[in-house]
Amino acid sequence: MNRFFFLPSLVWFLIGCNPEVSKENRITNQLLCDNFDSKVFCIEPKEKIGTVLIPRTETKREERSWEDFSNYLYFKVRETPGFLLTFERNFTQEERSSIRKEYVAYIGLNGVRERMEGFELGENTIASFHYLGALLKEEKRHTGEAKKKVNLGKGLSLVLEFEYQLPKDKKGQLVREIDLRWKP
C-alpha cells in the first residue's frame, strides 16, 4: 500500500471517529457582557436589568443635546453593551472560518437596529459589542430628538435587543434593560 495514501486516510478516519470534533458544537452559555479580555473571556458581566451611571464633566457640554451626549458616550465614556456566547468545545479550523464569514450580530433600540461593531473570536467563545453612543444617536435622530437638551433627571430606561446569527441559520436573542443616570 502506498504510505502517502495511507497516512492522510488514517488521519481523516481518526478525525471522523473523534466524537468531540464530529458532533455539533452547541452553545452552553449566553452572557451579557460589556468587556472582554484578550482570550475572549468576560471581565465585565452584566445583569439583564441594571443601572449605568454616567459621569458628568465640569462643562456639562454632554447635556446640551442628545447628539452631544451620544458623542460623549461614544468617545469618552465608551459604554459598550454586548454579549458572550460560550460553546461546549473549542472550534475546529473549519468552524472558525465559517464563523468569520457568516456570523452577524445586531443591536436594537426602539425600532432602530444596527449591526454590532465589535466581534471577537476565542477558542470556544464569540463576543459581540456595540457603542451605546452610536446606537442612541441614531435612535434620537430617528425620533427627531437629536438636537433636544438631555434630561436624565429621572433616568432614561432603555431596552436593548441583541440578535445573532451563526452559520447554518442558528439564531438567538438576548435582552438587556438599562437605566441611564448621572453619577452622583
Side-chain angles (χ1 to χ4, degrees):
M1 181 183 272
N2 184 341
R3 64 184 153 147
F4 294 108
F5 173 76
F6 178 72
L7 189 56
S9 297
L10 179 63
V11 170
W12 282 112
F13 174 75
L14 292 174
I15 288 173
C17 290
N18 184 345
E20 285 297 307
V21 174
S22 62
K23 74 176 181 177
E24 181 182 351
N25 197 0
R26 293 177 306 166
I27 296 171
T28 58
N29 192 28
Q30 298 181 98
L31 178 67
L32 294 167
C33 184
D34 286 5
N35 203 354
F36 316 94
D37 66 13
S38 62
K39 294 186 183 230
V40 194
F41 293 124
C42 182
I43 56 175
E44 196 177 337
K46 296 295 180 180
E47 297 293 325
K48 284 187 174 189
I49 300 173
T51 301
V52 174
L53 298 175
I54 307 298
R56 285 178 158 152
T57 63
E58 287 183 25
T59 63
K60 296 188 180 178
R61 180 174 187 239
E62 66 277 3
E63 296 179 44
R64 291 186 209 162
S65 69
W66 284 105
E67 195 166 86
D68 288 334
F69 180 73
S70 297
N71 288 336
Y72 176 65
L73 282 180
Y74 188 96
F75 293 109
K76 302 293 184 190
V77 178
R78 301 179 63 83
E79 188 64 34
T80 54
F83 60 89
L84 179 77
L85 304 175
T86 303
F87 291 76
E88 63 187 345
R89 64 170 167 76
N90 288 353
F91 299 120
T92 64
Q93 286 300 338
E94 182 181 309
E95 288 170 331
R96 294 177 76 73
S97 176
S98 182
I99 290 167
R100 282 191 181 103
K101 290 178 189 171
E102 299 176 43
Y103 175 80
V104 64
Y106 297 95
I107 186 170
L109 173 64
N110 297 331
V112 172
R113 184 174 181 241
E114 293 189 338
R115 187 173 181 148
M116 294 179 78
E117 288 185 44
F119 165 73
E120 297 289 334
L121 184 59
E123 293 297 317
N124 71 327
T125 55
I126 298 174
S128 293
F129 63 89
H130 195 75
Y131 289 93
L132 183 59
L135 180 63
L136 190 58
K137 182 188 278 190
E138 191 58 34
E139 190 267 343
K140 293 301 180 184
R141 285 178 179 165
H142 184 74
T143 61
E145 299 176 88
K147 301 293 183 190
K148 291 185 178 180
K149 184 172 175 55
V150 173
N151 183 3
L152 291 185
K154 295 181 181 176
L156 175 66
S157 294
L158 305 174
V159 177
L160 303 177
E161 299 170 333
F162 300 100
E163 297 175 41
Y164 60 85
Q165 183 168 344
L166 292 158
K168 300 180 183 175
D169 289 326
K170 295 181 202 168
K171 299 177 181 181
Q173 298 177 327
L174 295 99
V175 175
R176 179 174 171 200
E177 296 178 37
I178 59 176
D179 189 30
L180 283 182
R181 294 188 175 275
W182 292 119
K183 194 177 219 176

